[in-house]
Amino acid sequence: MATDLPKQVLDALSQSNGPVLTAEIFPSESFTTIKSALDRLGSREMVLYKTIERDEAILTDEAQGIAEHGSHEAKVFEAVRSAIEGLKVSDLPGIVGKESAKVGQGKALAGKWIKLDRERNILKTNIDSIVDTTREQLQTIERTKTHPDTKVISELKKRKLLKMQKAITFEVSKGPKYARDFVKEETDLTAEMLASGAWKNVKLKPCNFQSKGALTPSGALHPLNKVRHEFRQIFFEMGFEEMPTNRFVETGFWNFDALFVPQQHPARDLQDTFYISDPLRADKPGPDPTAGTGDPKLDYEQYWNNVREVHENGKFGSIGYRYPWKEDEALRLVLRTHTTSTSTYMLHKLATNPRPARYFSIDRVFRNETVDATHLAEFHQVEGVIADFGLTLGGLIGFMEVFFGKMGIHRLRFKPAYNPYTEPSMEIFGFHEGLNKWVEIGNSGMFRPEMLEPMGLPKEMRVYGWGLSLERPTMIKYGVNNIRELLGHKVDLNFVESNAAVRLEKD
């Protein structure tokens, strides 16, 4: 019984000249029961033990049948030997079973236990007796959970007769205070002991003041939320205002057209974007119905016409794309591919009172991506926007150095890039000390006049825009190699609960 296990451990050590393995002396006891008994003895220095992790071979149902009744090839041999004049191949399944006939005939022929008369299609024995090696090997493995010959293990695994599993056992040896008898210790000093004087003779269990208390169950922030919080603090510290990002579904107008993305752009193809099937179309841009009467200064109809003209014929000093702009395409509903659609909405509102402004957002976006170790069909975008007069590209580079410096990234490089709604555009690279190489960490640029002036913003106003994913810095900080271990059904809750808050500027 489990209550007698400490005594049994001490008895086993007294009968042994050295350490003992719990897997051998207590094969049927659970891990928890054995660990509890060893901890009890170890705390009194009666035993010393160490944990051993090993691979154990476990017999499958088919292998257990072989260990009990013999291998397929042995059954075939016995059936052939019993037939004095030989056994027809067609009769074999009816005697030993289809599975044994299928597997055993080939094995018995390969081992030259039997031979095949091809003219008469009859099986005959080649030798008088056999040793059922497979059965003996499986019986050994059934007893010891392993086999001294690793080739045997490999062969039986190929035949799907074994499956491997991790097993934990303990190597136990005598401690400094080992004794054959385990004296029961009292945990409490009772009134009865004091009254009777029994407390003088009992052994009280010592208090362990070094033991840790039980963990209190509590909620835990996901690592993405921890990093998101750090980003928000950086933005707030630098004077930014958070944008509302509660619209996962946008029209093609806000997601693409207002950003001067042509309707033939590859990003608008089905293989890159998720479109909504019901309803297929939305209304034209207008005041937000959830925001009351809206701002009467915003002329959505004029904005709509300006965007159409800048695409079709060019306007505000631009020649445009010069193609027939389709209203239906602009009103198609999509799962937003970036939070820049929200930035566009906020800049349009800013046109009623043009002034220096700083906005940011951190929220989910959706792309029709092939899922792999570094890509999901949805991820989180961190985006920042600065509007002011007299902004220059040099100012954007300087600001990026300050912004990423607050994240602990001080070595930056900038590479020219193309983006439909920013010109000039730059990819941002940071030197990763752990990987010892340059990695892309974001994208940036200055919004084009074809995007800003149709909103009604002054010609002299310039707007910086930049973005990066939330997942990449989170994976780097928490040492995650597969994004599916960070977000989705494969996330380990222990990983969520055990990881500390992150500080982006610190390793």
Side-chain angles (χ1 to χ4, degrees):
M1 293 181 62
T3 53
D4 297 331
L5 201 58
K7 179 70 166 64
Q8 294 177 35
V9 172
L10 296 174
D11 289 343
L13 285 172
S14 70
Q15 298 167 13
S16 172
N17 293 325
V20 296
L21 293 176
T22 56
E24 296 176 357
I25 57 176
F26 307 117
S28 59
E29 294 291 347
S30 69
F31 169 85
T32 306
T33 304
I34 294 173
K35 184 71 166 59
S36 176
L38 294 179
D39 284 342
R40 193 175 178 189
L41 294 170
S43 66
R44 294 157 178 80
E45 299 184 24
M46 298 180 76
V47 301
L48 302 173
Y49 69 91
K50 63 180 179 180
T51 305
I52 299 175
E53 188 175 297
R54 64 178 184 176
D55 290 321
E56 286 190 348
I58 306 299
L59 272 57
T60 62
D61 292 341
E62 180 186 355
Q64 288 175 351
I66 292 174
E68 186 175 351
H69 304 294
S71 65
H72 300 304
E73 52 268 34
K75 291 178 182 178
V76 169
F77 177 80
E78 292 299 330
V80 173
R81 187 171 65 171
S82 300
I84 300 173
E85 297 298 325
L87 181 65
K88 290 184 177 180
V89 174
S90 58
D91 294 338
L92 186 60
I95 298 173
V96 300
K98 289 183 179 180
E99 184 65 24
S100 291
K102 179 181 176 181
V103 178
Q105 180 180 327
K107 289 284 182 182
L109 286 169
K112 297 183 179 180
W113 294 358
I114 60 175
K115 59 186 177 181
L116 174 64
D117 185 340
R118 297 188 179 277
E119 292 184 1
R120 300 167 59 195
N121 205 28
I122 287 177
L123 296 168
K124 294 184 177 180
T125 57
N126 224 10
I127 53 179
D128 295 330
S129 62
I130 60 165
V131 176
D132 193 350
T133 308
T134 302
R135 183 182 188 183
E136 291 179 354
Q137 290 169 344
L138 289 173
Q139 287 175 340
T140 300
I141 293 170
E142 190 174 29
R143 289 192 309 271
T144 64
K145 307 298 183 185
T146 187
H147 195 278
D149 190 346
T150 55
K151 291 182 180 178
V152 171
I153 297 288
S154 299
E155 179 63 28
L156 294 175
K157 281 171 63 179
K158 288 179 184 177
R159 293 180 62 179
K160 297 183 178 179
L161 297 176
L162 296 180
K163 55 185 178 182
M164 306 303 294
Q165 70 178 26
K166 292 285 184 183
I168 295 177
T169 187
F170 299 98
E171 183 183 276
V172 188
S173 58
K174 296 177 181 178
K177 297 182 180 179
Y178 170 79
R180 180 70 181 272
D181 295 322
F182 180 76
V183 179
K184 183 182 177 183
E185 296 173 329
E186 297 292 341
T187 56
D188 296 309
L189 184 63
T190 65
E192 289 78 10
M193 291 181 189
L194 293 172
S196 65
W199 64 272
K200 299 176 182 178
N201 302 317
V202 299
K203 187 173 183 180
L204 293 171
K205 183 178 179 180
C207 294
N208 183 4
F209 294 104
Q210 305 302 319
S211 63
K212 295 180 179 179
L215 291 176
T216 303
S218 62
L221 286 175
H222 190 281
L224 280 173
N225 279 336
K226 295 174 185 176
V227 177
R228 179 179 182 271
H229 172 76
E230 188 72 3
F231 269 112
R232 291 180 80 239
Q233 296 306 113
I234 291 173
F235 277 116
F236 287 138
E237 178 186 321
M238 300 182 76
F240 281 76
E241 174 188 344
E242 190 165 16
M243 295 184 281
T245 54
N246 55 345
R247 292 196 298 271
F248 285 0
V249 178
E250 290 281 10
T251 61
F253 177 82
W254 289 110
N255 199 76
F256 296 118
D257 295 274
L259 275 68
F260 199 53
V261 177
Q263 293 184 342
Q264 302 86 1
H265 195 279
R268 300 176 77 149
D269 292 343
L270 285 172
Q271 62 263 32
D272 292 311
T273 301
F274 292 109
Y275 285 90
I276 306 300
S277 60
D278 185 20
L280 284 171
R281 302 284 183 271
D283 296 330
K284 284 186 178 182
D288 187 346
T290 64
T293 58
D295 192 330
K297 297 179 183 177
L298 287 173
D299 189 341
Y300 289 96
E301 187 64 30
Q302 182 62 44
Y303 185 31
W304 172 270
N305 291 331
N306 284 343
V307 170
R308 176 200 293 273
E309 289 180 36
V310 82
H311 277 257
E312 276 193 336
N313 306 309
K315 197 175 182 181
F316 308 107
S318 170
I319 62 173
Y321 290 118
R322 291 173 290 181
Y323 70 94
W325 189 80
K326 296 179 181 178
E327 181 176 303
D328 284 351
E329 183 66 24
L331 295 179
R332 290 180 73 183
L333 287 168
V334 302
L335 288 178
R336 67 182 179 203
T337 60
H338 47 197
T339 52
T340 316
S341 56
T342 302
S343 302
T344 307
Y345 182 78
M346 294 298 292
L347 290 171
H348 181 228
K349 289 179 66 177
L350 185 67
T352 62
N353 180 21
R355 66 193 186 281
R358 295 186 173 197
Y359 301 120
F360 82 93
S361 63
I362 307 173
D363 212 336
R364 193 172 301 185
V365 297
F366 307 87
R367 305 273 176 88
N368 196 355
E369 300 265 14
T370 300
V371 176
D372 58 28
T374 56
H375 295 85
L376 290 177
E378 56 181 287
F379 60 95
H380 295 78
Q381 181 175 334
V382 180
E383 179 163 333
V385 172
I386 297 178
D388 205 342
F389 298 92
L391 298 179
T392 64
L393 182 64
L396 174 60
I397 292 174
F399 183 84
M400 290 296 96
E401 290 174 344
V402 174
F403 177 78
F404 284 101
K406 290 182 177 292
M407 297 167 51
I409 302 173
H410 300 284
R411 297 174 64 185
L412 296 181
R413 284 180 179 174
F414 300 90
K415 176 184 175 183
Y418 168 75
N419 203 316
Y421 46 90
T422 57
E423 180 62 37
S425 306
M426 300 182 300
E427 292 176 348
I428 308 168
F429 292 81
F431 189 77
H432 191 289
E433 300 289 347
L435 299 176
N436 196 32
K437 68 176 184 179
W438 294 90
V439 295
E440 184 181 351
I441 56 175
N443 219 315
S444 65
M446 300 182 71
F447 286 134
R448 296 177 65 115
E450 293 94 333
M451 174 186 165
L452 300 177
E453 292 188 41
M455 300 174 180
L457 288 169
K459 195 176 186 70
E460 300 78 20
M461 178 163 273
R462 302 285 183 267
V463 180
Y464 296 153
W466 73 95
L468 62 151
S469 77
L470 183 65
E471 281 75 6
R472 176 166 290 184
T474 305
M475 291 173 69
I476 291 172
K477 284 295 180 181
Y478 285 100
V480 177
N481 296 318
N482 191 328
I483 193 171
R484 289 167 288 195
E485 297 173 3
L486 181 68
L487 196 66
H489 67 283
K490 291 187 176 181
V491 174
D492 182 359
L493 292 181
N494 288 328
F495 165 73
V496 174
E497 293 170 357
S498 61
N499 275 293
V502 69
R503 292 293 177 266
L504 293 176
E505 79 282 2
K506 297 180 180 179
D507 293 332

